[in-house]
Amino acid sequence: MTKMLKNYAADAWGAASGGLQPVRSAVNGEVVAQTGSQGLDFKGMLEHARGVGGPALRAMTFHARARMIKALAEVIMARKEELYALSASTGATRTDGWIDIEGGAGTLFTMSSKGRRELPDDVVLVDGELEPIGKRGTFVGQHVYTSLQGVAVHINAFNFPVWGMLEKLGPTLLAGVPAIVKPASATGYVTEAAFRILIEAGVLPPGALQLIVGQVGDLLDHLTCQDVVSFTGSAETALKLQSHPAIGREGVRFIAERDSLNATLLAPDAGPGTPEFDLFVREVASEMTIKAGQKCTAIRRALVPAAHIQAAEDAIKARLAKVVVGDPAIEGVTMGALASLGQLKDVREKARQLSADARLVFGDIDHVDARMGEGGEGAFISPLLFRADTPWTSERVHDVEAFGPVSTLMPYRDLDDAIALANRGKGSLVLSAFTYDPATARRLILGAAAFHGRIVLIDRDCARESTGHGSPLPMLVHGGPGRAGGGEEMGGVRGVKHYMQRSALQGSPRTLSAIVNRWLPGAPQPIGEAHPFRQRFGELDVGYTLKTPARTVTLEDIEHFAAFTGDTFYAHMDEEAAAANPFFPGRVAHGYLILSFAAGLFVDPAPGPVLANYGLDALRFLKPLSPGEAIRVELTVKDKTARNPEYGEVRWAVKVLSAADETVATYDLLTMNAL
Ligand code: NAP
């Protein structure tokens, strides 16, 4: 049945006013959808996002946005079968669909949990520590991130219609920025269905998301400095969009994820008979066939020591011989179709270009024995393995991306030669290496990391848990230099920052502290009647401080502590040896004794809102404490993060001072406090 795709503009669904384009099934060529965006008010969509969606999202804290993203992931999972059903027409097997659909939801789940664990329950993100500027500490610097006030325009490739949308939406929404999604036309019907599920979840504020199923009209003409274009697709389209006058003129952020001649490397230590050799063979074959090789991260070049190239070729061919190409709906099929007949034509053409520089050792460019259902024409192709025996004189194998099940095997002389060949792709998304020798791995990283966005080192110890060469992960950056586009996506909270502006704030600690909602050194430290441990989470103000009385640390205390804990290190026990040490004037108190006495000074013992001490951060012992010296403590509420409806985390700045007001120790104490 043909589906009439709709655009979603200004919180309403609407079909194009004309100019519809048919989209065909990859499996049998039947028209599955009509797509188009004629008649859309593109400028109005941008204005709606900026005027309605942006303010609503920015009014939510990172934690509220993270909870919303989790709800979106849940609804995709709850309705995943609807998406699997559509995904089959794109030529995807169930496994391919799993990567796209459940992988997409998983990416949102990860972003949500990172947002709640690593970002504040606030709208301003502090970047790094306070920078002291003035000598007296009254003028300081602090970097912060705030949300961009524009729109994220996401232009996606056809290969992962669900994941491609969700991996960009997670960081964008977490940053508090509305998005306009424009999927690739060939598989946009799957994206449209997933997008509809997101809207029907009812958790997004108005204006947060809009969808264009067709051309982008004059959208780019109206972009401003607060907007971001995040593009995934071919280098050719990226160049066209990047040179759009408005993008240059307005300084619009442009993130490009382009094609990439990714390489894998069988290291010199990993010859036939080693586990790494078998792992390499398996990885090359599966990277060629998952998603019929239509992955920007797929292995396009496999580098093998010259002595082992025949063994590698034979082993990979043996695996490829087991691949069953055909309609993914048919039992036993292990590799589906390319996304369209257009793609099939393109891949064949690129494979012919490769054959001018390399020998085809497996497969047939023009014929495949595909298992098919009734009638029609599907975009099927066999896996194609090439071999280039003179890789330094074969230009195309390092330059032509056939976006299908196509890889080229090539020999190298030594590790330096392999590194130089890997880097000849002029910048890639991912490089993998199969080695059990850490020294080889380090040499590889030093020689190649600058050219590759992600490097996977696979050996017998990690293979079982390895996520493989081709899987970008939400907590790691995805993107690469040069040919790969120079962009970076995901990487946990790093990806969120692509949709925020970093500003360097300068001012007094009091002002900056109020802006970031965190006590900064030099900001006021009000002291009240109530002990801070008697105040509930909601009652504690940032900056609220307890100053304790002093306590003298005696030699007897030190000896008692040493005997009690067993820590009889000479610096605490032996006057002469301690004095000979460059750090100590003689015997000194244990650092842990100072911490324990500090707790004894600031703790309020009776049951109350403080539920648990769960750790210390950034502990430093700054001045040794001699027997007979006194210490006192300043305990200040540094910041607070609600964790759940019952309790929240309080971060306390603790300063231990000597009688002469020298800082003996500083640290952050973390407690869980009842709301
Ligand atoms: P493409 O032809 O460049 O299309 C990418 C997107 O750009 C599609 O949504 C397309 O829409 C849109 N587009 C094309 N011309 C446009 C224009 N003038 N203005 C605005 N939008 C325009 O790439 P593709 O064929 O879909 O994807 C395959 C390529 O993407 C491969 O080379 C692959 O390596 C690369 N890729 C890279 C990554 C990565 O993360 N680095 C991931 C996946 C794919 P229409 O479909 O409507 O034309």
Side-chain angles (χ1 to χ4, degrees), residues 155-156 158-159 182 184-185 232-234 237 257-259 296 401 403 478:
I155 301 179
N156 296 331
F158 68 81
N159 55 342
K182 186 261 177 278
S185 296
T232 301
S234 62
T237 311
E257 297 293 347
R258 307 192 316 211
D259 56 15
C296 52
E401 184 206 42
F403 202 57
H478 171 59

mmCIF file with all atom_site columns, all heavy atoms in Angstrom, residues 155-156 158-159 182 184-185 232-234 237 257-259 296 401 403 478, ligand 1:
data_model
loop_
_atom_site.group_PDB
_atom_site.id
_atom_site.type_symbol
_atom_site.label_atom_id
_atom_site.label_alt_id
_atom_site.label_comp_id
_atom_site.label_asym_id
_atom_site.label_entity_id
_atom_site.label_seq_id
_atom_site.pdbx_PDB_ins_code
_atom_site.Cartn_x
_atom_site.Cartn_y
_atom_site.Cartn_z
_atom_site.occupancy
_atom_site.B_iso_or_equiv
_atom_site.pdbx_formal_charge
_atom_site.auth_seq_id
_atom_site.auth_comp_id
_atom_site.auth_asym_id
_atom_site.auth_atom_id
_atom_site.pdbx_PDB_model_num
ATOM   1   N N   . ILE A 1 155 ? 19.958 17.111 8.542  1.00 0.00 ? 155 ILE A N   1
ATOM   2   C CA  . ILE A 1 155 ? 19.782 16.528 7.205  1.00 0.00 ? 155 ILE A CA  1
ATOM   3   C C   . ILE A 1 155 ? 20.461 15.162 7.223  1.00 0.00 ? 155 ILE A C   1
ATOM   4   O O   . ILE A 1 155 ? 21.677 15.069 7.439  1.00 0.00 ? 155 ILE A O   1
ATOM   5   C CB  . ILE A 1 155 ? 20.399 17.451 6.129  1.00 0.00 ? 155 ILE A CB  1
ATOM   6   C CG1 . ILE A 1 155 ? 19.706 18.827 6.194  1.00 0.00 ? 155 ILE A CG1 1
ATOM   7   C CG2 . ILE A 1 155 ? 20.247 16.830 4.744  1.00 0.00 ? 155 ILE A CG2 1
ATOM   8   C CD1 . ILE A 1 155 ? 20.227 19.842 5.206  1.00 0.00 ? 155 ILE A CD1 1
ATOM   9   N N   . ASN A 1 156 ? 19.668 14.114 7.053  1.00 0.00 ? 156 ASN A N   1
ATOM   10  C CA  . ASN A 1 156 ? 20.168 12.766 7.310  1.00 0.00 ? 156 ASN A CA  1
ATOM   11  C C   . ASN A 1 156 ? 20.336 11.926 6.047  1.00 0.00 ? 156 ASN A C   1
ATOM   12  O O   . ASN A 1 156 ? 19.669 12.156 5.043  1.00 0.00 ? 156 ASN A O   1
ATOM   13  C CB  . ASN A 1 156 ? 19.220 12.046 8.281  1.00 0.00 ? 156 ASN A CB  1
ATOM   14  C CG  . ASN A 1 156 ? 19.186 12.738 9.641  1.00 0.00 ? 156 ASN A CG  1
ATOM   15  O OD1 . ASN A 1 156 ? 20.178 13.360 10.042 1.00 0.00 ? 156 ASN A OD1 1
ATOM   16  N ND2 . ASN A 1 156 ? 18.067 12.679 10.322 1.00 0.00 ? 156 ASN A ND2 1
ATOM   17  N N   . PHE A 1 158 ? 20.337 8.113  3.981  1.00 0.00 ? 158 PHE A N   1
ATOM   18  C CA  . PHE A 1 158 ? 19.245 7.129  3.842  1.00 0.00 ? 158 PHE A CA  1
ATOM   19  C C   . PHE A 1 158 ? 19.484 5.839  4.614  1.00 0.00 ? 158 PHE A C   1
ATOM   20  O O   . PHE A 1 158 ? 18.565 5.063  4.830  1.00 0.00 ? 158 PHE A O   1
ATOM   21  C CB  . PHE A 1 158 ? 19.038 6.780  2.356  1.00 0.00 ? 158 PHE A CB  1
ATOM   22  C CG  . PHE A 1 158 ? 20.184 6.026  1.759  1.00 0.00 ? 158 PHE A CG  1
ATOM   23  C CD1 . PHE A 1 158 ? 20.305 4.655  1.945  1.00 0.00 ? 158 PHE A CD1 1
ATOM   24  C CD2 . PHE A 1 158 ? 21.174 6.669  1.025  1.00 0.00 ? 158 PHE A CD2 1
ATOM   25  C CE1 . PHE A 1 158 ? 21.380 3.960  1.423  1.00 0.00 ? 158 PHE A CE1 1
ATOM   26  C CE2 . PHE A 1 158 ? 22.248 5.980  0.495  1.00 0.00 ? 158 PHE A CE2 1
ATOM   27  C CZ  . PHE A 1 158 ? 22.347 4.625  0.700  1.00 0.00 ? 158 PHE A CZ  1
ATOM   28  N N   . ASN A 1 159 ? 20.732 5.593  5.029  1.00 0.00 ? 159 ASN A N   1
ATOM   29  C CA  . ASN A 1 159 ? 21.044 4.225  5.465  1.00 0.00 ? 159 ASN A CA  1
ATOM   30  C C   . ASN A 1 159 ? 20.484 3.842  6.832  1.00 0.00 ? 159 ASN A C   1
ATOM   31  O O   . ASN A 1 159 ? 20.151 2.687  7.044  1.00 0.00 ? 159 ASN A O   1
ATOM   32  C CB  . ASN A 1 159 ? 22.551 3.964  5.379  1.00 0.00 ? 159 ASN A CB  1
ATOM   33  C CG  . ASN A 1 159 ? 23.367 4.974  6.152  1.00 0.00 ? 159 ASN A CG  1
ATOM   34  O OD1 . ASN A 1 159 ? 22.871 6.045  6.487  1.00 0.00 ? 159 ASN A OD1 1
ATOM   35  N ND2 . ASN A 1 159 ? 24.590 4.636  6.449  1.00 0.00 ? 159 ASN A ND2 1
ATOM   36  N N   . LYS A 1 182 ? 15.160 16.493 8.415  1.00 0.00 ? 182 LYS A N   1
ATOM   37  C CA  . LYS A 1 182 ? 14.931 16.248 6.992  1.00 0.00 ? 182 LYS A CA  1
ATOM   38  C C   . LYS A 1 182 ? 15.600 14.915 6.639  1.00 0.00 ? 182 LYS A C   1
ATOM   39  O O   . LYS A 1 182 ? 16.823 14.821 6.473  1.00 0.00 ? 182 LYS A O   1
ATOM   40  C CB  . LYS A 1 182 ? 15.525 17.399 6.161  1.00 0.00 ? 182 LYS A CB  1
ATOM   41  C CG  . LYS A 1 182 ? 15.213 17.291 4.674  1.00 0.00 ? 182 LYS A CG  1
ATOM   42  C CD  . LYS A 1 182 ? 16.398 16.705 3.932  1.00 0.00 ? 182 LYS A CD  1
ATOM   43  C CE  . LYS A 1 182 ? 16.190 16.478 2.473  1.00 0.00 ? 182 LYS A CE  1
ATOM   44  N NZ  . LYS A 1 182 ? 15.487 15.253 2.143  1.00 0.00 ? 182 LYS A NZ  1
ATOM   45  N N   . ALA A 1 184 ? 16.508 11.452 4.367  1.00 0.00 ? 184 ALA A N   1
ATOM   46  C CA  . ALA A 1 184 ? 16.743 11.180 2.942  1.00 0.00 ? 184 ALA A CA  1
ATOM   47  C C   . ALA A 1 184 ? 15.457 10.618 2.346  1.00 0.00 ? 184 ALA A C   1
ATOM   48  O O   . ALA A 1 184 ? 14.743 9.848  3.002  1.00 0.00 ? 184 ALA A O   1
ATOM   49  C CB  . ALA A 1 184 ? 17.878 10.184 2.801  1.00 0.00 ? 184 ALA A CB  1
ATOM   50  N N   . SER A 1 185 ? 15.179 10.976 1.104  1.00 0.00 ? 185 SER A N   1
ATOM   51  C CA  . SER A 1 185 ? 13.900 10.588 0.506  1.00 0.00 ? 185 SER A CA  1
ATOM   52  C C   . SER A 1 185 ? 13.745 9.076  0.357  1.00 0.00 ? 185 SER A C   1
ATOM   53  O O   . SER A 1 185 ? 12.652 8.538  0.527  1.00 0.00 ? 185 SER A O   1
ATOM   54  C CB  . SER A 1 185 ? 13.739 11.273 -0.856 1.00 0.00 ? 185 SER A CB  1
ATOM   55  O OG  . SER A 1 185 ? 13.676 12.671 -0.644 1.00 0.00 ? 185 SER A OG  1
ATOM   56  N N   . THR A 1 232 ? 24.469 14.613 7.417  1.00 0.00 ? 232 THR A N   1
ATOM   57  C CA  . THR A 1 232 ? 25.086 13.311 7.180  1.00 0.00 ? 232 THR A CA  1
ATOM   58  C C   . THR A 1 232 ? 24.770 12.908 5.751  1.00 0.00 ? 232 THR A C   1
ATOM   59  O O   . THR A 1 232 ? 23.598 12.889 5.352  1.00 0.00 ? 232 THR A O   1
ATOM   60  C CB  . THR A 1 232 ? 24.531 12.239 8.137  1.00 0.00 ? 232 THR A CB  1
ATOM   61  O OG1 . THR A 1 232 ? 24.790 12.662 9.479  1.00 0.00 ? 232 THR A OG1 1
ATOM   62  C CG2 . THR A 1 232 ? 25.198 10.902 7.907  1.00 0.00 ? 232 THR A CG2 1
ATOM   63  N N   . GLY A 1 233 ? 25.790 12.593 4.988  1.00 0.00 ? 233 GLY A N   1
ATOM   64  C CA  . GLY A 1 233 ? 25.561 12.192 3.604  1.00 0.00 ? 233 GLY A CA  1
ATOM   65  C C   . GLY A 1 233 ? 26.849 12.261 2.821  1.00 0.00 ? 233 GLY A C   1
ATOM   66  O O   . GLY A 1 233 ? 27.939 12.162 3.386  1.00 0.00 ? 233 GLY A O   1
ATOM   67  N N   . SER A 1 234 ? 26.713 12.450 1.532  1.00 0.00 ? 234 SER A N   1
ATOM   68  C CA  . SER A 1 234 ? 27.896 12.388 0.672  1.00 0.00 ? 234 SER A CA  1
ATOM   69  C C   . SER A 1 234 ? 28.715 13.672 0.765  1.00 0.00 ? 234 SER A C   1
ATOM   70  O O   . SER A 1 234 ? 28.207 14.740 1.106  1.00 0.00 ? 234 SER A O   1
ATOM   71  C CB  . SER A 1 234 ? 27.457 12.165 -0.765 1.00 0.00 ? 234 SER A CB  1
ATOM   72  O OG  . SER A 1 234 ? 26.661 13.254 -1.173 1.00 0.00 ? 234 SER A OG  1
ATOM   73  N N   . THR A 1 237 ? 27.243 16.514 -1.510 1.00 0.00 ? 237 THR A N   1
ATOM   74  C CA  . THR A 1 237 ? 26.140 17.319 -0.966 1.00 0.00 ? 237 THR A CA  1
ATOM   75  C C   . THR A 1 237 ? 26.653 18.216 0.162  1.00 0.00 ? 237 THR A C   1
ATOM   76  O O   . THR A 1 237 ? 26.252 19.373 0.269  1.00 0.00 ? 237 THR A O   1
ATOM   77  C CB  . THR A 1 237 ? 25.010 16.409 -0.438 1.00 0.00 ? 237 THR A CB  1
ATOM   78  O OG1 . THR A 1 237 ? 24.704 15.438 -1.423 1.00 0.00 ? 237 THR A OG1 1
ATOM   79  C CG2 . THR A 1 237 ? 23.766 17.193 -0.106 1.00 0.00 ? 237 THR A CG2 1
ATOM   80  N N   . GLU A 1 257 ? 29.068 14.941 8.557  1.00 0.00 ? 257 GLU A N   1
ATOM   81  C CA  . GLU A 1 257 ? 29.465 13.531 8.649  1.00 0.00 ? 257 GLU A CA  1
ATOM   82  C C   . GLU A 1 257 ? 29.382 12.990 7.236  1.00 0.00 ? 257 GLU A C   1
ATOM   83  O O   . GLU A 1 257 ? 28.285 12.772 6.712  1.00 0.00 ? 257 GLU A O   1
ATOM   84  C CB  . GLU A 1 257 ? 28.506 12.762 9.567  1.00 0.00 ? 257 GLU A CB  1
ATOM   85  C CG  . GLU A 1 257 ? 28.497 13.244 11.003 1.00 0.00 ? 257 GLU A CG  1
ATOM   86  C CD  . GLU A 1 257 ? 29.806 12.995 11.729 1.00 0.00 ? 257 GLU A CD  1
ATOM   87  O OE1 . GLU A 1 257 ? 30.649 12.237 11.225 1.00 0.00 ? 257 GLU A OE1 1
ATOM   88  O OE2 . GLU A 1 257 ? 29.996 13.592 12.800 1.00 0.00 ? 257 GLU A OE2 1
ATOM   89  N N   . ARG A 1 258 ? 30.537 12.798 6.608  1.00 0.00 ? 258 ARG A N   1
ATOM   90  C CA  . ARG A 1 258 ? 30.534 12.424 5.193  1.00 0.00 ? 258 ARG A CA  1
ATOM   91  C C   . ARG A 1 258 ? 31.037 11.005 5.006  1.00 0.00 ? 258 ARG A C   1
ATOM   92  O O   . ARG A 1 258 ? 31.198 10.260 5.944  1.00 0.00 ? 258 ARG A O   1
ATOM   93  C CB  . ARG A 1 258 ? 31.431 13.394 4.422  1.00 0.00 ? 258 ARG A CB  1
ATOM   94  C CG  . ARG A 1 258 ? 31.097 14.842 4.659  1.00 0.00 ? 258 ARG A CG  1
ATOM   95  C CD  . ARG A 1 258 ? 31.790 15.764 3.693  1.00 0.00 ? 258 ARG A CD  1
ATOM   96  N NE  . ARG A 1 258 ? 33.193 15.457 3.467  1.00 0.00 ? 258 ARG A NE  1
ATOM   97  C CZ  . ARG A 1 258 ? 34.117 16.364 3.184  1.00 0.00 ? 258 ARG A CZ  1
ATOM   98  N NH1 . ARG A 1 258 ? 33.771 17.633 3.099  1.00 0.00 ? 258 ARG A NH1 1
ATOM   99  N NH2 . ARG A 1 258 ? 35.366 16.021 2.963  1.00 0.00 ? 258 ARG A NH2 1
ATOM   100 N N   . ASP A 1 259 ? 31.292 10.682 3.750  1.00 0.00 ? 259 ASP A N   1
ATOM   101 C CA  . ASP A 1 259 ? 31.764 9.320  3.476  1.00 0.00 ? 259 ASP A CA  1
ATOM   102 C C   . ASP A 1 259 ? 33.217 9.167  3.928  1.00 0.00 ? 259 ASP A C   1
ATOM   103 O O   . ASP A 1 259 ? 33.890 10.135 4.249  1.00 0.00 ? 259 ASP A O   1
ATOM   104 C CB  . ASP A 1 259 ? 31.582 8.967  2.006  1.00 0.00 ? 259 ASP A CB  1
ATOM   105 C CG  . ASP A 1 259 ? 32.284 9.967  1.099  1.00 0.00 ? 259 ASP A CG  1
ATOM   106 O OD1 . ASP A 1 259 ? 33.119 10.733 1.601  1.00 0.00 ? 259 ASP A OD1 1
ATOM   107 O OD2 . ASP A 1 259 ? 31.997 9.964  -0.096 1.00 0.00 ? 259 ASP A OD2 1
ATOM   108 N N   . CYS A 1 296 ? 28.397 4.111  6.824  1.00 0.00 ? 296 CYS A N   1
ATOM   109 C CA  . CYS A 1 296 ? 29.495 5.063  6.628  1.00 0.00 ? 296 CYS A CA  1
ATOM   110 C C   . CYS A 1 296 ? 30.760 4.551  7.296  1.00 0.00 ? 296 CYS A C   1
ATOM   111 O O   . CYS A 1 296 ? 31.858 4.941  6.936  1.00 0.00 ? 296 CYS A O   1
ATOM   112 C CB  . CYS A 1 296 ? 29.103 6.410  7.210  1.00 0.00 ? 296 CYS A CB  1
ATOM   113 S SG  . CYS A 1 296 ? 28.522 6.275  8.901  1.00 0.00 ? 296 CYS A SG  1
ATOM   114 N N   . GLU A 1 401 ? 34.386 5.469  -2.797 1.00 0.00 ? 401 GLU A N   1
ATOM   115 C CA  . GLU A 1 401 ? 33.546 4.771  -1.831 1.00 0.00 ? 401 GLU A CA  1
ATOM   116 C C   . GLU A 1 401 ? 32.373 4.133  -2.570 1.00 0.00 ? 401 GLU A C   1
ATOM   117 O O   . GLU A 1 401 ? 31.491 4.829  -3.064 1.00 0.00 ? 401 GLU A O   1
ATOM   118 C CB  . GLU A 1 401 ? 32.995 5.742  -0.781 1.00 0.00 ? 401 GLU A CB  1
ATOM   119 C CG  . GLU A 1 401 ? 32.188 5.033  0.306  1.00 0.00 ? 401 GLU A CG  1
ATOM   120 C CD  . GLU A 1 401 ? 31.129 5.913  0.977  1.00 0.00 ? 401 GLU A CD  1
ATOM   121 O OE1 . GLU A 1 401 ? 30.449 6.676  0.251  1.00 0.00 ? 401 GLU A OE1 1
ATOM   122 O OE2 . GLU A 1 401 ? 30.973 5.820  2.191  1.00 0.00 ? 401 GLU A OE2 1
ATOM   123 N N   . PHE A 1 403 ? 29.205 2.466  -1.845 1.00 0.00 ? 403 PHE A N   1
ATOM   124 C CA  . PHE A 1 403 ? 28.411 2.398  -0.609 1.00 0.00 ? 403 PHE A CA  1
ATOM   125 C C   . PHE A 1 403 ? 27.526 1.154  -0.610 1.00 0.00 ? 403 PHE A C   1
ATOM   126 O O   . PHE A 1 403 ? 26.306 1.215  -0.689 1.00 0.00 ? 403 PHE A O   1
ATOM   127 C CB  . PHE A 1 403 ? 27.587 3.678  -0.475 1.00 0.00 ? 403 PHE A CB  1
ATOM   128 C CG  . PHE A 1 403 ? 27.159 3.979  0.939  1.00 0.00 ? 403 PHE A CG  1
ATOM   129 C CD1 . PHE A 1 403 ? 28.085 4.120  1.956  1.00 0.00 ? 403 PHE A CD1 1
ATOM   130 C CD2 . PHE A 1 403 ? 25.822 4.127  1.258  1.00 0.00 ? 403 PHE A CD2 1
ATOM   131 C CE1 . PHE A 1 403 ? 27.692 4.397  3.254  1.00 0.00 ? 403 PHE A CE1 1
ATOM   132 C CE2 . PHE A 1 403 ? 25.412 4.402  2.553  1.00 0.00 ? 403 PHE A CE2 1
ATOM   133 C CZ  . PHE A 1 403 ? 26.356 4.535  3.549  1.00 0.00 ? 403 PHE A CZ  1
ATOM   134 N N   . HIS A 1 478 ? 31.603 10.242 17.293 1.00 0.00 ? 478 HIS A N   1
ATOM   135 C CA  . HIS A 1 478 ? 31.451 9.699  15.943 1.00 0.00 ? 478 HIS A CA  1
ATOM   136 C C   . HIS A 1 478 ? 31.739 10.849 14.990 1.00 0.00 ? 478 HIS A C   1
ATOM   137 O O   . HIS A 1 478 ? 31.157 11.923 15.111 1.00 0.00 ? 478 HIS A O   1
ATOM   138 C CB  . HIS A 1 478 ? 30.024 9.183  15.770 1.00 0.00 ? 478 HIS A CB  1
ATOM   139 C CG  . HIS A 1 478 ? 29.700 8.796  14.353 1.00 0.00 ? 478 HIS A CG  1
ATOM   140 N ND1 . HIS A 1 478 ? 30.402 7.843  13.668 1.00 0.00 ? 478 HIS A ND1 1
ATOM   141 C CD2 . HIS A 1 478 ? 28.747 9.252  13.490 1.00 0.00 ? 478 HIS A CD2 1
ATOM   142 C CE1 . HIS A 1 478 ? 29.894 7.716  12.453 1.00 0.00 ? 478 HIS A CE1 1
ATOM   143 N NE2 . HIS A 1 478 ? 28.898 8.559  12.314 1.00 0.00 ? 478 HIS A NE2 1
HETATM 144 P P1  . NAP B 2 .   ? 23.309 12.384 -0.036 1.00 0.00 ? 1   NAP B P1  1
HETATM 145 O O1  . NAP B 2 .   ? 22.816 12.092 -1.373 1.00 0.00 ? 1   NAP B O1  1
HETATM 146 O O2  . NAP B 2 .   ? 24.412 13.342 0.105  1.00 0.00 ? 1   NAP B O2  1
HETATM 147 O O3  . NAP B 2 .   ? 22.049 12.816 0.810  1.00 0.00 ? 1   NAP B O3  1
HETATM 148 C C1  . NAP B 2 .   ? 22.156 13.103 2.177  1.00 0.00 ? 1   NAP B C1  1
HETATM 149 C C2  . NAP B 2 .   ? 20.997 13.991 2.585  1.00 0.00 ? 1   NAP B C2  1
HETATM 150 O O4  . NAP B 2 .   ? 21.134 15.260 1.967  1.00 0.00 ? 1   NAP B O4  1
HETATM 151 C C3  . NAP B 2 .   ? 19.630 13.475 2.159  1.00 0.00 ? 1   NAP B C3  1
HETATM 152 O O5  . NAP B 2 .   ? 18.708 13.765 3.171  1.00 0.00 ? 1   NAP B O5  1
HETATM 153 C C4  . NAP B 2 .   ? 19.339 14.292 0.929  1.00 0.00 ? 1   NAP B C4  1
HETATM 154 O O6  . NAP B 2 .   ? 17.966 14.408 0.662  1.00 0.00 ? 1   NAP B O6  1
HETATM 155 C C5  . NAP B 2 .   ? 19.923 15.616 1.335  1.00 0.00 ? 1   NAP B C5  1
HETATM 156 N N1  . NAP B 2 .   ? 20.208 16.511 0.227  1.00 0.00 ? 1   NAP B N1  1
HETATM 157 C C6  . NAP B 2 .   ? 20.713 16.225 -0.975 1.00 0.00 ? 1   NAP B C6  1
HETATM 158 N N2  . NAP B 2 .   ? 20.857 17.361 -1.695 1.00 0.00 ? 1   NAP B N2  1
HETATM 159 C C7  . NAP B 2 .   ? 20.430 18.368 -0.907 1.00 0.00 ? 1   NAP B C7  1
HETATM 160 C C8  . NAP B 2 .   ? 20.321 19.777 -1.085 1.00 0.00 ? 1   NAP B C8  1
HETATM 161 N N3  . NAP B 2 .   ? 20.703 20.369 -2.193 1.00 0.00 ? 1   NAP B N3  1
HETATM 162 N N4  . NAP B 2 .   ? 19.821 20.512 -0.071 1.00 0.00 ? 1   NAP B N4  1
HETATM 163 C C9  . NAP B 2 .   ? 19.440 19.939 1.091  1.00 0.00 ? 1   NAP B C9  1
HETATM 164 N N5  . NAP B 2 .   ? 19.522 18.619 1.304  1.00 0.00 ? 1   NAP B N5  1
HETATM 165 C C10 . NAP B 2 .   ? 20.017 17.841 0.312  1.00 0.00 ? 1   NAP B C10 1
HETATM 166 O O7  . NAP B 2 .   ? 23.809 11.063 0.706  1.00 0.00 ? 1   NAP B O7  1
HETATM 167 P P2  . NAP B 2 .   ? 23.037 9.679  0.810  1.00 0.00 ? 1   NAP B P2  1
HETATM 168 O O8  . NAP B 2 .   ? 23.124 9.056  -0.520 1.00 0.00 ? 1   NAP B O8  1
HETATM 169 O O9  . NAP B 2 .   ? 21.720 9.816  1.461  1.00 0.00 ? 1   NAP B O9  1
HETATM 170 O O10 . NAP B 2 .   ? 23.953 8.914  1.843  1.00 0.00 ? 1   NAP B O10 1
HETATM 171 C C11 . NAP B 2 .   ? 25.032 8.123  1.476  1.00 0.00 ? 1   NAP B C11 1
HETATM 172 C C12 . NAP B 2 .   ? 26.317 8.799  1.810  1.00 0.00 ? 1   NAP B C12 1
HETATM 173 O O11 . NAP B 2 .   ? 26.280 9.263  3.146  1.00 0.00 ? 1   NAP B O11 1
HETATM 174 C C13 . NAP B 2 .   ? 27.494 7.873  1.739  1.00 0.00 ? 1   NAP B C13 1
HETATM 175 O O12 . NAP B 2 .   ? 28.520 8.497  1.029  1.00 0.00 ? 1   NAP B O12 1
HETATM 176 C C14 . NAP B 2 .   ? 27.890 7.633  3.181  1.00 0.00 ? 1   NAP B C14 1
HETATM 177 O O13 . NAP B 2 .   ? 29.247 7.385  3.385  1.00 0.00 ? 1   NAP B O13 1
HETATM 178 C C15 . NAP B 2 .   ? 27.459 8.900  3.832  1.00 0.00 ? 1   NAP B C15 1
HETATM 179 N N6  . NAP B 2 .   ? 27.136 8.660  5.229  1.00 0.00 ? 1   NAP B N6  1
HETATM 180 C C16 . NAP B 2 .   ? 27.933 9.182  6.180  1.00 0.00 ? 1   NAP B C16 1
HETATM 181 C C17 . NAP B 2 .   ? 27.652 8.958  7.513  1.00 0.00 ? 1   NAP B C17 1
HETATM 182 C C18 . NAP B 2 .   ? 28.510 9.513  8.599  1.00 0.00 ? 1   NAP B C18 1
HETATM 183 O O14 . NAP B 2 .   ? 28.100 9.478  9.762  1.00 0.00 ? 1   NAP B O14 1
HETATM 184 N N7  . NAP B 2 .   ? 29.662 10.041 8.317  1.00 0.00 ? 1   NAP B N7  1
HETATM 185 C C19 . NAP B 2 .   ? 26.540 8.205  7.872  1.00 0.00 ? 1   NAP B C19 1
HETATM 186 C C20 . NAP B 2 .   ? 25.740 7.680  6.864  1.00 0.00 ? 1   NAP B C20 1
HETATM 187 C C21 . NAP B 2 .   ? 26.051 7.926  5.546  1.00 0.00 ? 1   NAP B C21 1
HETATM 188 P P3  . NAP B 2 .   ? 17.254 13.572 -0.518 1.00 0.00 ? 1   NAP B P3  1
HETATM 189 O O15 . NAP B 2 .   ? 17.427 12.146 -0.174 1.00 0.00 ? 1   NAP B O15 1
HETATM 190 O O16 . NAP B 2 .   ? 15.856 14.026 -0.445 1.00 0.00 ? 1   NAP B O16 1
HETATM 191 O O17 . NAP B 2 .   ? 17.979 13.960 -1.765 1.00 0.00 ? 1   NAP B O17 1
#
